[in-house]
Amino acid sequence: MFATRKPNGIISDILQEHPKSTIQVNDSTGILGDYPFFTSGEAINEWQSALVDGMNCYLSTGGNATIKGYYGKAAYSTDTWCVCGKGEYSFYLFCYLKSVIRSINDSFFAGSGLKHLQKDSLLLVNLYIPSEKELRKFNSIVKPAMETMTTLFLETKKLKQQRDFLLPLLMNGQATIAE
């Protein structure tokens, strides 16, 4: 909808940063919780309490650029930069960041050994900021899709738990499948 629009602002105009987490990735290993726990890696672990709610973006701060989005209550690790959009811009911010992930990786990750996200530089990137009317139309399309993704994520989590409970019972003969 906005790819050809002339920039009229910078990312920091619409981005709001959440406080840095105090939870280490290793602390979440093996934890069974009610909330997804986002890390800089590909894995999404679990945590017992939520740090944020709503539509949030979870950006890796080291290695290579990854951006995950989740609509709902969640937690995140110390190596993850959790941000959302100001006002109603959260869905737009996530979609924008996802659309420029290659550029973020190439331009905003630097370092001699392990590369790190250069947050201050990323905040100065020019972008098109939609009007309220455009944003309402955009959100009316994207928000239901993100709600569906959250529902499917939670359903998949429950199915994995059932699989992990039943599979050992089937493997050792404690449970059978009736014909």
Side-chain angles (χ1 to χ4, degrees):
M1 287 177 74
F2 308 114
T4 59
R5 300 292 185 92
K6 183 180 175 185
N8 60 357
I10 58 176
I11 289 180
S12 66
D13 292 338
I14 65 167
L15 183 142
Q16 179 177 324
E17 184 174 358
H18 288 288
K20 184 172 175 71
S21 172
T22 58
I23 308 165
Q24 299 284 328
V25 174
N26 291 341
D27 295 340
S28 71
T29 305
I31 297 292
L32 295 177
D34 294 326
Y35 303 100
F37 181 80
F38 293 93
T39 69
S40 279
E42 293 300 317
I44 301 173
N45 297 340
E46 295 179 12
W47 197 247
Q48 306 97 333
S49 57
L51 300 177
V52 293
D53 193 5
M55 181 64 210
N56 289 287
C57 305
Y58 305 91
L59 289 81
S60 59
T61 57
N64 293 312
T66 60
I67 299 170
K68 300 174 195 132
Y70 185 76
Y71 183 49
K73 293 181 179 184
Y76 54 96
S77 66
T78 57
D79 66 355
T80 304
W81 190 33
C82 181
V83 299
C84 64
K86 294 177 182 174
E88 297 295 317
Y89 284 97
S90 290
F91 296 106
Y92 179 73
L93 177 66
F94 171 67
C95 291
Y96 177 79
L97 291 172
K98 281 299 270 190
S99 74
V100 296
I101 185 72
R102 283 195 178 122
S103 175
I104 290 172
N105 194 55
D106 295 343
S107 302
F108 302 106
F109 273 78
S112 56
L114 179 64
K115 299 187 302 180
H116 293 282
L117 175 62
Q118 307 300 305
K119 295 177 190 177
D120 293 339
S121 298
L122 179 60
L123 292 171
L124 298 175
V125 168
N126 293 317
L127 81 161
Y128 177 74
I129 300 175
S131 68
E132 286 185 34
K133 181 179 177 184
E134 291 171 319
L135 189 62
R136 274 194 304 277
K137 182 177 179 183
F138 179 82
N139 285 344
S140 73
I141 297 166
V142 176
K143 184 178 179 181
M146 292 303 293
E147 289 171 337
T148 299
M149 289 171 64
T150 296
T151 301
L152 293 173
F153 176 86
L154 295 173
E155 185 176 321
T156 300
K157 177 184 160 192
K158 287 179 186 174
L159 290 171
K160 285 179 181 178
Q161 288 171 339
Q162 289 175 350
R163 176 203 62 201
D164 293 345
F165 174 75
L166 291 172
L167 190 57
L169 297 176
L170 289 167
M171 297 295 285
N172 67 24
Q174 288 180 292
T176 59
I177 299 174
E179 302 251 348

